[in-house]
Amino acid sequence: MATIPQDPFLFSGTVKENLDPFGRFTDQQLWSVLEKCHLADVVKRMGDLTAEVGEGGKVFSSGERQLLCLARAMLTKAKVLCIDEATASVDMETDKHMQRAIREEFKESTVLTIAHRIDTIADSDRILVMNEGRVVEFGEPSIITSTSE
């Protein structure tokens, strides 16, 4: 299981250590996920995989930190991905990059998404709408989104 939280978590260290804290992957695999998350150019400008991310990832924008968390999750090849409002504080372009990468890289996984934006969940197989802890609607996106507008 992998999780992408609302507030991206990075620890002090290098890009490589944040992506692969246990040293399980090759540099080529790390660059591959960075490419898929549109972060390769950013990391190259910083000086490579050995670049320091700073405390809490302060050298990255909020969206870049979230994309780095996505890249870390992609490396796990998790069968279950939990996304907790991961795109709540990112711009629309970063949101699109994240959604595309999730669709492509986790198509064989179960993806549980907590979201408030309809666009974030539009590609889901099923949507569960809750209000005050109770199920309000459950069904396919085309049914839910048409009744929610």
Side-chain angles (χ1 to χ4, degrees), residues 9 63 65 110 115-116:
F9 176 76
R65 286 192 301 270
T110 298
H116 286 88

Side-chain angles (χ1 to χ4, degrees), residues 75-148:
L75 285 166
T76 68
K77 305 255 189 249
K79 294 294 180 196
V80 178
L81 175 65
C82 183
I83 305 169
D84 182 8
E85 288 285 356
T87 61
S89 60
V90 300
D91 60 67
M92 294 305 284
E93 184 174 339
T94 302
D95 188 1
K96 286 179 187 176
H97 291 316
M98 289 185 72
Q99 295 308 320
R100 184 178 309 116
I102 291 166
R103 273 193 308 274
E104 292 171 4
E105 297 300 313
F106 292 96
K107 62 184 166 202
E108 301 297 321
S109 301
T110 298
V111 179
L112 306 171
T113 306
I114 300 165
H116 286 88
R117 292 184 194 164
I118 293 289
D119 291 347
T120 303
I121 57 172
D123 289 338
S124 299
D125 294 327
R126 299 278 185 271
I127 297 175
L128 172 68
V129 179
M130 298 186 73
N131 187 13
E132 296 182 8
R134 290 192 162 70
V135 175
V136 177
E137 294 180 78
F138 179 73
E140 296 177 13
S142 59
I143 296 167
I144 301 297
T145 57
S146 66
T147 61
S148 298

